[in-house]
């Protein structure tokens, strides 16, 4: 995981701005028997606990690993029943064969997978599962809204190259990356579409947390919401990839 400075600098904003993950994702994890009372969970890149709290409320015992001290501090305050370890997914000390479930929620794109996948494999018990998901801020299956048209115009003016790696919704490429080392095989894969209404200040806060958005762009996005009446309906997608631990990679 790279320097978490951007997220550290906006830890308070991150905590209040990032939307919760969709309810149907948690329903699916429970239906598949992956999340239940007593489940031992290793969460990597936990941030301020957007996923942690749902797992704690489900009765799981969670060890949350987060490289940012400010983010980890907020997670501890919100979810005191979680164990919290300040460190990176690549270097934090992880016990062997100690977890039934590992989770990376909107974090796996930051990992050095060549290092992290063997570490997760070692931390899971035989038959364990690695659940990977993220929020894709935008749904290409929904007709482009006026706000999304404005967002597209803002990002089209950028001169820097796009973030390397597969896109947010290039799920097949992510499955290939996550299974290529032989430590995991692909299990259940599913996309959850959902929507949330956001006001101007909520958009300002949310876009501030995006590491590839600068302050001028954030201001332009917030201005667009104002010009569109002060509220916008955002359509998002959460791809879920469940990876099954291979006994002998």
């Amino acid at each position: 995981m790279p320097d978490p400075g951007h997220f550290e600098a906006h830890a308070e904003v991150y905590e209040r701005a990032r939307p919760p993950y969709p309810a149907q994702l948690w329903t699916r994890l429970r239906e598949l028997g992956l999340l239940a009372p007593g489940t031992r969970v290793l969460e990597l890149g936990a941030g301020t606990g957007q996923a942690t709290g749902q797992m704690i409320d489900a009765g799981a015992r969670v060890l949350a690993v987060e490289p940012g001290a400010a983010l980890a501090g907020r997670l501890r305050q919100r979810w005191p029943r979680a164990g919290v370890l300040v460190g990176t997914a690549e270097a934090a000390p992880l016990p062997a064969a100690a977890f039934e479930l590992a989770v990376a929620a909107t974090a796996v794109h930051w990992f050095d997978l060549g290092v992290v996948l063997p570490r997760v494999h070692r931390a899971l018990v035989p038959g364990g599962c690695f659940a990977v998901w993220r929020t894709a801020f935008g749904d290409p299956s929904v007709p482009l809204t006026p706000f999304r048209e404005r967002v597209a115009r803002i990002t089209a003016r950028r001169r820097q190259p796009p973030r390397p790696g597969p896109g947010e919704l290039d799920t097949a490429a992510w499955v290939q990356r996550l299974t290529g080392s032989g430590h995991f095989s692909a299990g259940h894969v599913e996309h959850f579409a959902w929507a949330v209404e956001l006001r101007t200040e909520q958009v300002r806060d949310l876009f501030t947390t995006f590491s590839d958005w600068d302050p001028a762009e954030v201001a332009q996005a917030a201005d667009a919401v104002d010009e569109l009446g002060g509220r916008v309906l955002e359509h998002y997608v959460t791809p879920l990839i469940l990876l099954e631990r291979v006994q002998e990679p």
Side-chain angles (χ1 to χ4, degrees), residues 1-11 66-71 86-88 110:
M1 185 176 285
D3 175 34
H6 176 85
F7 305 107
E8 279 287 274
H10 301 290
E66 168 52 48
L71 295 164
V86 179
T88 66
W110 295 118

Side-chain angles (χ1 to χ4, degrees), residues 155-174:
T155 57
R157 292 193 288 268
R158 293 176 176 171
R159 295 185 178 182
Q160 69 268 34
R163 181 183 291 165
E168 293 175 326
L169 293 174
D170 193 351
T171 305
W174 277 111

Side-chain angles (χ1 to χ4, degrees), residues 6-7 10 13-14 17-19 137-138 147-148 150-152 154-155 158 196 198-225 232 234 236:
H6 176 85
F7 305 107
H10 301 290
V13 178
Y14 192 101
R18 288 285 173 131
F137 294 95
F147 177 66
R148 278 287 140 184
R150 296 285 290 272
V151 168
I154 293 168
T155 57
R158 293 176 176 171
V196 60
L198 299 175
R199 300 185 303 275
T200 300
E201 286 308 309
Q202 290 174 302
V203 167
R204 189 188 308 277
D205 283 350
L206 177 59
F207 281 51
T208 294
T209 69
F210 296 162
S211 60
D212 54 350
W213 277 69
D214 65 36
E217 292 174 333
V218 171
Q220 292 167 28
D223 288 345
V225 180
V232 293
E234 281 279 74
Y236 298 151

Side-chain angles (χ1 to χ4, degrees), residues 24-112:
Q24 58 263 46
L25 178 145
W26 302 110
T27 298
R28 186 69 73 243
L29 292 177
R30 291 191 296 269
E31 288 174 345
L32 293 172
L34 298 174
L35 188 60
T39 301
R40 296 173 296 171
V41 180
L42 170 65
E43 184 185 4
L44 299 173
T48 59
Q50 276 74 12
T52 315
Q54 290 283 348
M55 295 187 289
I56 291 288
D57 287 346
R61 292 181 286 162
V62 181
L63 175 63
V65 179
E66 168 52 48
L71 295 164
R74 289 187 170 273
L75 191 156
R76 284 193 183 98
Q77 291 175 1
R78 292 177 74 188
W79 309 110
R81 284 186 289 162
V84 181
L85 184 60
V86 179
T88 66
E90 291 82 2
L94 303 177
F99 306 95
E100 287 83 32
L101 177 65
V103 167
T106 314
V108 76
H109 53 293
W110 295 118
F111 296 166
D112 180 344

